Amino acid sequence: MRSAKLVFPVRGIDVSAYRVTQVKIAQKNACIKKPCPSNAICQAGFSSEGYRCVCVPGYTGEDCAEDIDECGLINNNCTKGGANCTNTVGSFNCTCQTNYFWNGAGCEADDCSNYSTLSDADRKRTHVTPKNSEGVCDDWLPEGWYRFVGAAGTKMPTTPVHRFRCNTAFPGWLKGAEPTVANVEVSRLVCFTRGANNCAFSKQIVMKNCGSYFIYKLGKPPICKSRYCGTDVDK
């Protein structure tokens, strides 16, 4: 008796998987022919054509041929105060105006060129406050950078000032050394003399060496009548 012949089914080829693989290969190779314009980058694996064109920075439009005016963008740091923006093909140039400098993100005002001046002659440390008077107070002084000029002197004194000088009751002087390196800001204490106590009141300030002169970030003093004194030389 003959034995029965076993017939095994032949495993067929998965045509659908094969086609998907071929499509992926075609998409991957779609950018080889460089189908995008010169101002665009080809990215494979998109759309029925297997690629898409993405405009490089500075260009827009259907064929990426339209230049973007970066100077007209709201979020452009170069359009803020103190800067001049010039549009170029595919980019832009940013230059800072006079008395401004580039800080890496935008144009910033140069403190050494943007300050107010204190020039009153009666602010000088040698000026004696009139008898029966407490003089004036710097409580009107808005916070900001100041430079002593003219009859007021060229800087703040760094030695104690006698009471009732600088046309005020409590004269202010700088406690601490002046910065010797240009464009360096330091924190210093301003002391105000009252009677025999040459630092009865104090205020923390910032000062900066601008090369040939100093500027001070001042504001309202801690008490009236008090005032920031000026001098030419420390005596």
Side-chain angles (χ1 to χ4, degrees):
M1 182 177 179
R2 292 183 178 182
S3 59
K5 186 177 181 181
L6 298 178
V7 179
F8 296 94
V10 178
R11 182 174 297 177
I13 298 175
D14 189 345
V15 178
S16 60
Y18 173 78
R19 288 177 177 174
V20 170
T21 301
Q22 291 300 103
V23 170
K24 288 183 178 180
I25 293 175
Q27 289 178 336
K28 184 177 181 180
N29 296 332
C31 290
I32 294 179
K33 296 181 180 180
K34 299 181 179 180
C36 297
S38 59
N39 295 330
I41 298 174
C42 182
Q43 294 182 342
F46 295 91
S47 77
S48 59
E49 297 179 345
Y51 70 92
R52 70 177 179 182
C53 297
V54 179
C55 297
V56 298
Y59 292 90
T60 187
E62 185 176 351
D63 56 357
C64 299
E66 182 181 344
D67 174 59
I68 295 176
D69 182 7
E70 288 84 0
C71 294
L73 300 178
I74 298 177
N75 61 347
N76 182 3
N77 287 335
C78 191
T79 60
K80 297 180 180 179
N84 293 321
C85 185
T86 304
N87 186 59
T88 61
V89 178
S91 186
F92 68 99
N93 290 327
C94 186
T95 56
C96 294
Q97 298 174 4
T98 304
N99 299 333
Y100 286 81
F101 67 94
W102 184 257
N103 63 9
C107 291
E108 181 179 336
D110 181 6
D111 299 325
C112 288
S113 300
N114 291 274
Y115 54 78
S116 300
T117 58
L118 300 173
S119 59
D120 300 318
D122 62 358
R123 188 180 287 277
K124 209 163 189 177
R125 70 174 299 163
T126 54
H127 182 91
V128 179
T129 306
K131 291 183 178 181
N132 302 321
S133 171
E134 292 186 346
V136 297
C137 183
D138 276 340
D139 58 347
W140 60 271
L141 208 65
E143 184 171 336
W145 287 102
Y146 292 88
R147 177 184 175 184
F148 289 84
V149 297
T154 57
K155 63 177 186 175
M156 289 189 68
T158 55
T159 56
V161 179
H162 296 299
R163 62 178 181 171
F164 292 106
R165 296 294 175 90
C166 312
N167 197 23
T168 191
F170 312 125
W173 57 281
L174 191 73
K175 186 176 183 180
E178 298 165 336
T180 57
V181 180
N183 297 316
V184 171
E185 295 182 11
V186 296
S187 178
R188 289 291 182 265
L189 193 70
V190 173
C191 286
F192 296 89
T193 302
R194 181 181 185 181
N197 188 344
N198 57 30
C199 200
F201 315 102
S202 63
K203 181 178 178 66
Q204 202 76 30
I205 69 161
V206 175
M207 69 175 297
K208 185 175 183 178
N209 183 333
C210 291
S212 59
Y213 57 91
F214 298 106
I215 57 174
Y216 307 82
K217 183 172 282 188
L218 306 175
K220 184 178 178 180
I223 190 173
C224 275
K225 302 282 186 160
S226 56
R227 202 179 191 198
Y228 301 103
C229 294
T231 189
D232 288 312
V233 293
D234 290 313
K235 297 180 180 180

